[in-house]
Amino acid sequence: MTNKQTRVAVIGAGTMGAGIAGVFVRAGFDVALYSRGQATLETARTLLCDVANKVRFSTDIEECLDGAEIVSENIAENADLKRDLFALVESKVSATCLLTTNTSSVPISSIASSMRQPHRLVGLHWFNPPAVMPLVEIVRGKATSESVVEKAQALCNGLGKESIEVKNEIPGFVINRLQYAMLREALHLVEEGIASIQDVDRAVETTLAPRWSSAGPLRLMDMAGLDTVAKVSAVLMPALSRSEGVSPIIEKLVSSGALGTKAQRGFYNWSDEEISIAKMDRDETVKLLTERRKS
């Protein structure tokens, strides 16, 4: 899976697909990138400016899949589209080709239900930006074989990525479940007037994030003392938000077109320069912490 001549078909050339294609190219793989639209491919070509000459861009999916030993699917989060795609892909690649989906919400078993051999499909859930984020979630479907999981693990290792295994299908997998549990409470604190948007962010940026960069939550509980954790849990767990559905704040912002940096307004107002600086700071911080972890 790390042979420099290994051919990779990346299906979907949006932000994630283009980014993942770049990771494979920079690791020495032979990469074809597919999109239905030429305009999307041209945007991807711009995003991959430093390695674009090493990528084969195509609007012909069969051409993209020709000779592929790895498939990375990154199309829209639509179960029907993904099922139809993998029914086609399975018929166009070799029996040993590793089939991966970058879904963040559709169950792997649902996508694989149209396949003759559903054990061949595994989730490889990347994070944005793929070139910077150090970890990939390997997600099992109900039928995913052990050998396919092992191939996915070897691939991640060959790409220089850490991986965690999601052993059972569950919405949001591991990282998004942890993230959205915290987002729910952050929104609750703002909605109830307990803290401002800025102060909630500052609480994470100055205290929780630095702490979590050194150790995960379970390791930190050991360090705090589980007897203390038990006492605090008895007080806090019943008081935490248990709201369901989309936060009223999010609904109001979205309905007004305040979609975040893509619209230059969300919880904050954003200039082009502020967006550029924020993304650069995010990427440099992740790189620094990743290097520190490796040392």
Side-chain angles (χ1 to χ4, degrees), residues 99-140:
L99 305 181
T100 76
T101 171
N102 185 34
T103 183
S104 59
S105 61
V106 182
I108 308 303
S109 296
S110 174
I111 299 172
S113 63
S114 63
M115 296 173 60
R116 295 189 308 276
Q117 296 180 308
H119 71 274
R120 297 182 62 186
L121 185 65
V122 66
L124 279 191
H125 183 211
W126 298 69
F127 297 90
N128 190 36
V132 174
M133 299 304 290
L135 183 137
V136 177
E137 287 182 311
I138 298 174
V139 188
R140 289 178 179 264

Side-chain angles (χ1 to χ4, degrees), residues 52-168:
N53 63 329
K54 298 181 180 180
V55 178
R56 290 177 289 112
F57 297 88
S58 179
T59 56
D60 183 331
I61 193 166
E62 293 193 23
E63 178 182 73
C64 180
L65 291 169
D66 184 35
E69 297 174 66
I70 301 168
V71 172
S72 172
E73 173 271 306
N74 306 275
I75 66 173
E77 287 291 87
N78 180 297
D80 290 335
L81 289 177
K82 291 179 185 289
R83 277 193 289 268
D84 291 345
L85 175 66
F86 276 102
L88 171 66
V89 168
E90 184 183 30
S91 69
K92 299 296 181 181
V93 298
S94 71
T96 58
C97 180
L98 176 63
L99 305 181
T100 76
T101 171
N102 185 34
T103 183
S104 59
S105 61
V106 182
I108 308 303
S109 296
S110 174
I111 299 172
S113 63
S114 63
M115 296 173 60
R116 295 189 308 276
Q117 296 180 308
H119 71 274
R120 297 182 62 186
L121 185 65
V122 66
L124 279 191
H125 183 211
W126 298 69
F127 297 90
N128 190 36
V132 174
M133 299 304 290
L135 183 137
V136 177
E137 287 182 311
I138 298 174
V139 188
R140 289 178 179 264
K142 293 178 182 177
T144 305
S145 71
E146 192 65 37
S147 63
V148 167
V149 171
E150 290 173 358
K151 287 173 71 174
Q153 291 170 331
L155 174 61
C156 291
N157 186 59
L159 291 170
K161 298 292 184 182
E162 295 188 56
S163 64
I164 61 172
E165 182 182 343
V166 184
K167 298 178 182 295
N168 297 304

Side-chain angles (χ1 to χ4, degrees), residues 193-208:
I194 296 165
S196 68
I197 292 168
Q198 293 82 357
D199 282 352
V200 169
D201 277 345
R202 192 176 300 132
V204 175
E205 293 163 0
T206 64
T207 305
L208 296 179

Side-chain angles (χ1 to χ4, degrees), residues 214-257:
S214 68
L218 305 182
R219 186 186 297 271
L220 283 172
M221 281 194 280
D222 266 359
M223 294 168 69
L226 297 183
D227 53 338
T228 299
V229 171
K231 291 174 182 176
V232 175
S233 295
V235 175
L236 279 188
M237 292 303 186
L240 293 175
S241 172
R242 300 185 185 186
S243 62
E244 298 181 1
V246 181
S247 158
I249 294 180
I250 298 294
E251 287 185 330
K252 183 177 180 180
L253 289 170
V254 170
S255 66
S256 70

